[in-house]
Amino acid sequence: MLKKFTVSNFKNFKDEISLDFSKIGEYSFNADCLSMRLIYGRNATGKTNFGRALLDITTLLYGMFRNDENSVLINADSQEDTAKFIYEFQFGSDEVTYKYSRFANTELCDEELYINGEAIIKCDFKNSKFDFQGLSIIGAETVNMKRYLN
C-alpha cells in the first residue's frame, strides 16, 4: 500500500509537497469517491499535475515515454535541474521507500531503494556511482545489474 508520496520541483510544485495516506484522522475510506474518480478543488491549483507526479513511477516501471503535452517536467521558477519523487510503501510489517530524481522525461539522475531503513541500492547516474551492497539483505546478490552499468 502506498503510505506517503512526496514530490518537489515538478511542474507547478517548486517546493516539496507530500500526501500522507497514513494520516487520515477520523475519516473513513469512501469507495464511492474512488469509483467516480473525482478529485475536488479549485481550478488551476495543481490537481492534475499532482496526479501526474504520483503516477510518474509508471514511466520507470513500464518504460513508457511522456507525450509532448507532458514534456515539461521541471518547475520553471526553480534553480534545480531535477524533479524529485519519493514513494513510501507499507507491505505487512515492511516499509519500502523508493526515491529518484529526473533531469527530463526519460533521463534519471539517481535512484535509491530502502527496505526498513536499510539501503538496498543507490545509483547516481550523473556521476556513474553505484552501490548494490544492500542486495545481500534481500538475498538478491545475483540480480542482473547490466542496465545500471551500461
Side-chain angles (χ1 to χ4, degrees), residues 128-144:
S128 298
K129 293 183 181 179
F130 307 97
D131 180 359
F132 298 106
Q133 297 300 315
L135 288 175
S136 61
I137 295 169
I138 60 171
E141 301 89 0
T142 60
V143 72
N144 183 351

Side-chain angles (χ1 to χ4, degrees), residues 108-119:
L108 279 176
C109 175
D110 56 57
E111 69 180 330
E112 300 176 15
L113 176 66
Y114 297 85
I115 298 178
N116 297 324
E118 295 194 56

Side-chain angles (χ1 to χ4, degrees), residues 52-62 87 89 98 100:
R52 286 180 178 152
L54 182 63
L55 295 175
D56 190 79
I57 195 170
T58 61
T59 62
L60 300 177
L61 295 174
Y62 300 111
Y87 299 83
F89 300 95
Y98 179 58
Y100 65 91

Side-chain angles (χ1 to χ4, degrees), residues 121-133:
I121 64 167
K122 291 184 178 183
C123 300
D124 178 350
F125 299 105
K126 184 177 181 180
N127 298 303
S128 298
K129 293 183 181 179
F130 307 97
D131 180 359
F132 298 106
Q133 297 300 315

